[in-house]
Amino acid sequence: MSIALPQAAKAAEACTSDTVTLVVPYAPGGVVDLIARVVADDLRGSIGQNVIVENKPGAGSNIGTGAVARAAPDGRTLIMASAAHTINPSLYAKLPFDALTSFAPVGMVGIVPNLIVVPADFPANTMQDLIAYAKANPGKIAFGSAGAGSSPHLAVEMLKAKIGVDMLHVPYQGQPQAVQDLLANRVQMMALTMTLALPLVKEGRLKALAITGTSRADALPNVPTVAETVSPGFDVVNYLAVLAPAGTPDKTLACLSAALQAGLAKPETVARLKPMGVIMMPGSRADLAAFLKKDRDAWAEVIKQANIKVQ
C-alpha cells in the first residue's frame, strides 16, 4: 500500500487534478453504458481520481457527443464513443461538431460484433438457409433494429446489398423493444449486439446463425462468421473507444491513454468484459485516429448506397 499510493498520486497529477466524467451518449443499461462503467472503474484505479459515468442520451448520441465537443479540453471530460460516432456524419445533414477534428483519441477499448439471430422456431438454422428463405420469399422477412442508421441496421443493409436479397426494415427506439418483438416472431431477424444476444442464445430463445465480425467468438465457437458462410470479406462490428475534446494537452492524453491501456490489460477487467462479447483491441492513439477515419469513410459509402436518411 505504501508503494501504490505515491504511484497513484503521481498518475493523478499527470492526468488531471479533479474528478473525471466519462460521458455515455445513451441511456443507462445499454451495451455502451455497461462497458463504460467497467472502463470507469479501471481509470479510477489507475489515475487515483474519481471517475464518474454520466449518461447524456438523445438524437442518436449527438446530444452527449456535442456536449463533450464543447467541454473544456483539460482531461476532465471524456466520451465513450461507439459506431454511431462515425456513422452519424453521413446520416445527419448538419452536426454541431466534427467526428474527427472535434475530438482527440485517448484509446480503443475493443470491438463488439453483432450476431445474426432469428427466433428459436424460425425455419432457418444456417445463414445459407436464411438467404435461401429470403430469396424465395422476397420482402417477407422483417428485421428489427435499434433505429435507422444504427450499427445493427446498417449491418443488415450491407448484407442485403452484398447478397441481393429483399428484407423489410422495422426500426425501434432501442434494442430491448426490438428484441421483444423478435422473441414474439413479430420480426424474424436481427443483427443483435453480442452483449445482448449471448444470454438469449444460451437460453435457447434465439438461434445464432452467424457473427458479423471477421473471426468466431470464444463464447460461441460453433457459430461461423457471415464471411465464412455467404459473403466473403463481410466485416461489421461496433467499437468502443475513449475520446477527449480536441485541444486537450498531449501530456494529459498520453497519461490517460496509458492509464486506460493498463486497466484494460488487467485479468480481472478482461474477465468482466469477455462475457459481454468484447474483443480487446489495444493500440496507440494514432492507431485509433486512423481507425476512426477509416470507419467513417466506410459507413459513408454504405449509407450512400442504401440511401438511408434520418428524418
Side-chain angles (χ1 to χ4, degrees), residues 280-303:
M280 312 300 282
M281 192 172 156
S284 68
R285 287 183 287 143
D287 291 337
L288 176 54
F291 175 92
L292 294 174
K293 184 180 185 306
K294 182 179 179 181
D295 200 66
R296 183 200 62 180
D297 295 347
W299 283 123
E301 186 64 25
V302 172
I303 291 165

Side-chain angles (χ1 to χ4, degrees), residues 161-218:
K162 285 181 175 290
I163 301 298
V165 293
D166 179 19
M167 293 185 281
L168 175 67
H169 177 224
V170 181
Y172 292 83
Q173 296 296 317
Q175 286 194 336
Q177 184 183 356
V179 170
Q180 289 305 310
D181 275 6
L182 180 67
L183 292 169
N185 212 358
R186 286 187 281 270
V187 293
Q188 289 74 50
M189 190 262 278
M190 281 187 70
L192 185 59
T193 308
M194 180 86 73
T195 308
L196 299 180
L198 276 174
L200 296 170
V201 171
K202 290 184 175 181
E203 290 169 11
R205 301 175 69 191
L206 294 176
K207 288 189 288 191
L209 304 187
I211 292 168
T212 63
T214 57
S215 59
R216 297 190 182 198
D218 291 343

Side-chain angles (χ1 to χ4, degrees), residues 10-238:
K10 184 177 180 180
E13 183 180 353
C15 289
T16 176
S17 58
D18 207 345
T19 294
V20 173
T21 299
L22 180 60
V23 172
V24 172
Y26 300 99
V31 174
V32 179
D33 179 67
L34 293 173
I35 294 171
R37 293 179 187 279
V38 176
V39 171
D41 287 345
D42 282 333
L43 279 175
R44 189 178 300 118
S46 298
I47 67 174
Q49 290 286 0
N50 190 26
V51 179
I52 61 172
V53 172
E54 182 177 353
N55 298 89
K56 286 184 176 289
S61 81
N62 291 329
I63 290 178
T65 304
V68 175
R70 296 188 299 271
D74 54 13
R76 295 187 297 171
T77 305
L78 308 172
I79 186 168
M80 178 62 75
S82 61
H85 190 84
T86 38
I87 289 172
N88 286 353
S90 299
L91 283 179
Y92 293 85
K94 185 179 291 187
L95 291 174
F97 55 84
D98 184 281
L100 302 184
T101 62
S102 297
F103 300 89
V106 173
M108 180 73 86
V109 175
I111 58 174
V112 183
N114 298 303
L115 277 177
I116 302 294
V117 291
V118 296
D121 59 353
F122 188 75
N125 294 311
T126 66
M127 280 300 294
Q128 292 91 334
D129 291 344
L130 178 67
I131 298 306
Y133 184 93
K135 288 185 174 180
N137 300 273
K140 291 187 178 180
I141 291 182
F143 70 96
S145 81
S150 62
S151 175
H153 169 215
L154 296 181
V156 180
E157 292 291 352
M158 184 183 291
L159 181 65
K160 286 170 55 181
K162 285 181 175 290
I163 301 298
V165 293
D166 179 19
M167 293 185 281
L168 175 67
H169 177 224
V170 181
Y172 292 83
Q173 296 296 317
Q175 286 194 336
Q177 184 183 356
V179 170
Q180 289 305 310
D181 275 6
L182 180 67
L183 292 169
N185 212 358
R186 286 187 281 270
V187 293
Q188 289 74 50
M189 190 262 278
M190 281 187 70
L192 185 59
T193 308
M194 180 86 73
T195 308
L196 299 180
L198 276 174
L200 296 170
V201 171
K202 290 184 175 181
E203 290 169 11
R205 301 175 69 191
L206 294 176
K207 288 189 288 191
L209 304 187
I211 292 168
T212 63
T214 57
S215 59
R216 297 190 182 198
D218 291 343
L220 295 170
N222 294 324
V223 177
T225 66
V226 173
E228 287 179 74
T229 53
V230 296
S231 182
F234 191 90
D235 180 21
V236 178
V237 296
N238 196 1

Side-chain angles (χ1 to χ4, degrees), residues 251-262:
K251 180 180 178 181
T252 302
L253 292 171
C255 179
L256 290 169
S257 180
L260 175 66
Q261 297 303 326

